[in-house]
Amino acid sequence: MSEFKLAAGSVVKIGTTTNQLYPIFRHGIAQHTPANRFQSGGEPDAASATPGIQIGELMAYFSACAGFCNNTSELHHQHQEVMAEFVTTLQDKRGEKPAIAALEAIAHQAGLPVVLEIILEEDCALLADRHFVSDNEIDKSWKLWRSAFLQREGGIPAAWVKQFYFPRLLDYRDVTAARNPRSLEQTTDTALMVGGLMQYWHKDAPGDLLAAFRKQYGRINFSQKSNFDETALERFFNLSAMIDPATRLLNQMTIWQDIDALAKKQSIHVG
């Protein structure tokens, strides 16, 4: 197998959820962190587990989507009665914050999708993403599909993570009217994750998908971003959409509904 390395200074991305931000800040990303994959939903031709840390471009948004959907499914399964009451209240009293005491104990478990931007501080070897290419096509895996598994003893240090991207977060005022600009922006952010699903399920070329997204929206990342340092993380988790239990769960529901609706248009079933 030929060796392929990304040079120091290369920018890579990793998809995860907000639940992992503080653990990564404290400990970095472990060298054998499992890649996020959907736990159910008919995922086709899943690649065999590959050692290393999955990095990517659009595939980072796939990974964020998978982690988010798995978290959402688990949370709703574990707390079926409370979450059913929450959803019913959202539907019956649109724009009103549900006053359900049990939400506080649940909401801290709700992870929203994020994508980390990392600058490599040394040359790092890669292994191919076998979902797209064979083992000996490592250069093609990265150059064409922008997906590979980074090999580094000790994993990725937290200091290499420079910033993270996250979707527009809503409050209850944003869901009272149709075509609210903030709601539309969150839906656009969700479309990036569905682009990752399209790359994985249909094996669409990521460069073409991102070029089309950039042409329409003028960007190729989530609309919001933050530095990755202690002050910025504290500020992020003190946003009303993160610190208020009902509002965090509202965002979990609106993002999940958008993923489901947009994925179905591409004949992709996410659970």
Side-chain angles (χ1 to χ4, degrees):
M1 183 186 301
S2 59
E3 187 177 67
F4 181 84
K5 286 190 175 184
L6 280 185
S10 297
V11 178
V12 301
K13 293 173 182 170
I14 292 175
T16 185
T17 66
T18 52
N19 291 344
Q20 297 303 313
L21 288 177
Y22 268 122
I24 290 172
F25 178 73
R26 296 185 183 109
H27 308 295
I29 303 170
Q31 66 186 93
H32 296 305
T33 299
N36 285 330
R37 289 288 185 266
F38 285 88
Q39 295 174 352
S40 62
E43 180 181 353
D45 301 322
S48 301
T50 302
I53 301 167
Q54 184 168 28
I55 59 172
E57 179 123 25
L58 195 53
M59 279 298 290
Y61 286 87
F62 169 87
S63 186
C65 184
F68 167 76
C69 288
N70 291 339
N71 173 270
T72 301
S73 178
E74 290 171 4
L75 196 67
H76 283 244
H77 178 73
Q78 292 169 6
H79 306 281
Q80 292 183 36
E81 292 186 7
V82 175
M83 294 310 299
E85 181 184 358
F86 176 72
V87 171
T88 299
T89 304
L90 288 181
Q91 294 171 339
D92 293 345
K93 299 179 180 180
R94 190 171 179 84
E96 292 187 27
K97 184 187 297 185
I100 303 172
L103 294 182
E104 186 167 356
I106 296 172
H108 75 278
Q109 303 172 54
L112 302 183
V114 293
V115 168
L116 308 176
E117 186 171 273
I118 296 161
I119 299 179
L120 304 183
E121 295 191 7
E122 62 185 53
D123 296 353
C124 293
L126 302 184
L127 291 181
D129 184 340
R130 289 177 284 182
H131 179 75
F132 297 111
V133 299
S134 62
D135 282 341
N136 62 353
E137 296 180 297
I138 307 169
D139 56 341
K140 184 178 178 182
S141 181
W142 182 248
K143 293 178 180 177
L144 178 60
W145 294 103
R146 304 298 284 183
S147 183
F149 288 80
L150 186 144
Q151 308 292 296
R152 182 181 183 275
E153 186 174 353
I156 296 177
W160 292 15
V161 184
K162 302 306 179 184
Q163 60 184 0
F164 64 95
Y165 295 92
F166 59 97
R168 169 64 69 184
L169 301 178
L170 309 179
D171 62 31
Y172 281 86
R173 294 170 297 180
D174 297 323
V175 297
T176 57
R179 300 191 65 79
N180 177 282
R182 289 169 61 89
S183 294
L184 291 174
E185 189 170 32
Q186 187 183 86
T187 298
T188 300
D189 288 329
T190 302
L192 266 174
M193 291 188 284
V194 176
L197 300 182
M198 291 166 67
Q199 176 179 343
Y200 192 86
W201 257 262
H202 304 323
K203 296 192 177 179
D204 292 335
D208 293 341
L209 292 169
L210 287 170
F213 194 89
R214 185 194 293 276
K215 183 176 181 180
Q216 186 166 359
Y217 301 109
R219 57 183 171 88
I220 55 169
N221 289 300
F222 283 147
S223 60
Q224 311 302 300
K225 66 180 180 179
S226 169
N227 291 336
F228 193 73
D229 57 50
E230 189 168 10
T231 300
L233 284 176
E234 183 177 356
R235 187 182 304 119
F236 172 75
F237 280 103
N238 277 287
L239 293 173
S240 60
M242 293 301 297
I243 201 169
D244 179 71
T247 309
R248 186 190 290 206
L249 290 170
L250 169 71
N251 280 278
Q252 183 193 60
M253 288 302 304
T254 54
I255 292 171
W256 189 89
Q257 288 170 350
D258 278 345
I259 289 172
D260 187 56
L262 293 173
K264 283 178 178 175
K265 290 182 178 179
Q266 302 298 328
S267 300
I268 297 170
H269 179 65
V270 294

